[in-house]
Amino acid sequence: MSKIKLASLSLLALASLQSTAALADDGNYYVAGRVVGAEHKAREMADSARPGIGAFVPGQQKDKFTTGSFAAGYQYGNGWRVEGEYTLPKTDTFTSGSTVFPTSSNVHYIEAQRLMANVYRDFAITDQVALYGSVGLGITRLKSDGWQGTVARQYNVGRQDNLSWSLGAGVAYSPIDKLTLDLGYRYVDMGRTESGWNAFPNARSLQDEKMSANLVSSEIYLGGRYAF
C-alpha cells in the first residue's frame, strides 16, 4: 500500500511539474516604457565630513520630478516575469548648512541613473486585470558635486556605482491582446553617495569638508508593455 501511495504521489508530482513547465513555456518577450513620478530624498546628510565648527542644519532634503524608464523582459505563463530596466538620468539639488555660517549653505547636486533586474509576480483577478508585487536588484551610478556659499567655492566631483534594491506593487490591465497597462508604486534605495573634498579654502584652511547622503526614491509610475 505504501508503494502504491508513493507511486501515486510521484505521478502527481510529475504531472504538476509538467503542468508548471507547460505554463512556463507559454510565455513571451515584451518591451515596456514608463512615465515615473518620483520623490528623491537625501537621508543621513548630517553624516557629511564637516569641520568642527557649529552644528549641522538641514535644508532641502527632497526633490520631486518626472522622469522615464525603458525595459525589456520575458513573461512566463505561470504568473512570473523578469526584466531589465534602465531609468533615465536625473540631477537632484539638496541643501544644508551650519549654525555658525547661516548664510553659507552647501548646495549638493546628485545625478542618478540606474539599471535594474526586476522580478514580478502577477495574480490574476480577471482575464484582463491582475495585481502584482515586484522586487529589484541592480546598479545605480551616482555623480556628486556642488558648492558652498557661492558657485566659485566648489567641491570636487565624487562618483559611485552602488548596489541598489527596490520593492513595489501595482495593478495591470490588458485592454487588448499583447498590450498591458501598469500602474504601480515602488521604493528604491540607491545607496550612499559623496562629493569630493572641498576645493576651496575653508575657515580652517583645510580640505576636511565633503557632502554625503543616502539617496532613496518613492515612485509612482504609469507604463505600457507590449508582448511579441
Side-chain angles (χ1 to χ4, degrees), residues 91 96 208:
T91 300
S96 62
D208 59 355

Side-chain angles (χ1 to χ4, degrees), residues 177-214:
D177 189 35
K178 296 185 179 298
L179 177 64
T180 303
L181 304 178
D182 290 316
L183 176 63
Y185 167 84
R186 63 189 171 198
Y187 175 86
V188 188
D189 190 322
M190 291 174 277
R192 189 171 181 80
T193 181
E194 57 183 27
S195 69
W197 294 107
N198 55 296
F200 55 85
N202 62 15
R204 300 196 299 178
S205 299
L206 295 173
Q207 271 195 318
D208 59 355
E209 296 187 56
K210 180 186 292 188
M211 298 180 294
S212 66
N214 177 204

Side-chain angles (χ1 to χ4, degrees), residues 74-92:
Y74 187 82
Q75 181 167 348
Y76 296 91
N78 56 4
W80 291 92
R81 50 190 167 97
V82 294
E83 70 176 27
E85 180 187 25
Y86 173 70
T87 301
L88 298 174
K90 172 64 174 66
T91 300
D92 300 302

Side-chain angles (χ1 to χ4, degrees), residues 120-196:
Y120 298 85
R121 180 64 168 94
D122 295 316
F123 301 92
I125 305 300
T126 69
D127 289 342
Q128 293 180 298
V129 179
L131 300 178
Y132 63 84
S134 68
V135 296
L137 193 66
I139 298 293
T140 300
R141 173 158 289 182
L142 297 171
K143 176 186 174 184
S144 190
D145 60 358
W147 46 272
Q148 183 184 95
T150 68
V151 178
R153 293 165 55 84
Q154 292 283 323
Y155 284 90
N156 290 312
V157 178
R159 292 182 174 86
Q160 294 82 32
D161 290 326
N162 290 346
L163 182 66
S164 304
W165 60 269
S166 68
L167 289 174
V171 58
Y173 171 64
S174 299
I176 59 175
D177 189 35
K178 296 185 179 298
L179 177 64
T180 303
L181 304 178
D182 290 316
L183 176 63
Y185 167 84
R186 63 189 171 198
Y187 175 86
V188 188
D189 190 322
M190 291 174 277
R192 189 171 181 80
T193 181
E194 57 183 27
S195 69

Side-chain angles (χ1 to χ4, degrees), residues 8-31:
S8 299
L9 290 172
S10 298
L11 287 173
L12 287 172
L14 180 59
S16 177
L17 287 172
Q18 289 176 333
S19 177
T20 301
L23 286 172
D25 287 341
D26 187 24
N28 37 62
Y29 292 95
Y30 67 84
V31 292

Side-chain angles (χ1 to χ4, degrees), residues 56-108:
F56 175 83
V57 177
Q60 179 178 316
Q61 297 177 291
K62 297 179 181 180
D63 196 2
K64 295 182 179 180
F65 59 92
T66 301
T67 185
S69 71
F70 302 96
Y74 187 82
Q75 181 167 348
Y76 296 91
N78 56 4
W80 291 92
R81 50 190 167 97
V82 294
E83 70 176 27
E85 180 187 25
Y86 173 70
T87 301
L88 298 174
K90 172 64 174 66
T91 300
D92 300 302
T93 302
F94 304 109
T95 62
S96 62
S98 168
T99 54
V100 174
F101 304 103
T103 62
S104 184
S105 295
N106 285 315
V107 177
H108 192 177

